[in-house]
Amino acid sequence: MEVEIRPAREDDVEPLVALSRRTVAAKYAAFLGQDAVRSYIESGAVDQYVADSIGRCHVLVGDGQVVGLTVTQYNLIDLMMIDIDFHRGGLGTRLLRHVEVLLFNRYETLLLESFQDNAQANAFYQKNGWTATRTYNDEASGANKIEFQKRRSKLM
């Protein structure tokens, strides 16, 4: 698969919303519950988040199709998703490495958050050198989250 990672454009909003809805529906119900996920998607919050974040977003394009995204805010990786049909193929690692390089050019320490019960994502972050620093209850979702941190290597 030919892969490109680039800043998001306005014409990416629609495919990014579709990717986000599919991924949230397929993955988040296991730890948030089907009703909460359905309500979240139907509220339009997914669509609004993508539209509001497009200027802080990078997309991963595989063979001409948008298959991943990451949204950053300062030193925080606020969101990272790979289309559910492309999980476990190394694309997440490529996208994570890309955004780490971009952010480590400006920050010494990076942060990201994950749902505590999202075992697959948490294992992925730990495998890629991220360290869990705290667990807390996210009032908005009612779920527990883990904050991960990664420090810039002295080799960078």
Side-chain angles (χ1 to χ4, degrees), residues 3 36 54 67 72 124 139:
V3 174
I54 202 73
V67 296
T72 61
F124 168 78
E139 291 182 26

Side-chain angles (χ1 to χ4, degrees), residues 3-140:
V3 174
E4 171 193 13
I5 301 172
R6 60 166 171 75
R9 305 180 304 237
E10 287 298 323
D11 63 334
D12 292 319
V13 170
E14 188 176 321
L16 290 173
V17 165
L19 179 157
S20 298
R21 285 180 176 195
R22 281 192 308 277
T23 304
V24 167
K27 291 303 222 176
Y28 287 30
F31 49 86
L32 293 179
Q34 191 63 44
D35 290 340
V37 167
R38 183 175 36 256
S39 177
Y40 179 64
I41 291 171
E42 289 174 358
S43 75
V46 172
D47 307 37
Q48 191 65 52
Y49 176 82
V50 171
D52 290 348
S53 303
I54 202 73
R56 300 180 288 117
C57 181
H58 276 78
V59 296
L60 187 145
V61 179
D63 292 338
Q65 176 184 349
V66 173
V67 296
L69 75 142
T70 184
V71 176
T72 61
Q73 185 168 351
Y74 306 107
N75 68 329
L76 173 70
I77 299 174
D78 196 37
L79 178 69
M80 187 172 134
M81 283 188 178
I82 299 296
D83 191 302
I84 189 69
D85 293 335
F86 295 89
H87 278 199
R88 312 213 45 99
L91 296 176
T93 300
R94 288 180 76 171
L95 184 57
L96 183 60
R97 292 283 179 258
H98 179 84
V99 75
E100 287 174 355
V101 168
L102 290 176
L103 294 179
F104 277 135
N105 283 329
R106 293 182 287 170
Y107 303 101
E108 183 75 25
T109 303
L110 305 183
L111 302 172
L112 63 80
E113 300 169 336
S114 179
F115 289 101
Q116 184 176 13
D117 292 337
N118 191 346
Q120 183 179 353
N122 298 334
F124 168 78
Y125 294 126
Q126 290 173 331
K127 180 186 88 171
N128 282 283
W130 289 77
T131 302
T133 55
R134 73 179 179 115
T135 303
Y136 68 96
N137 183 268
D138 177 53
E139 291 182 26

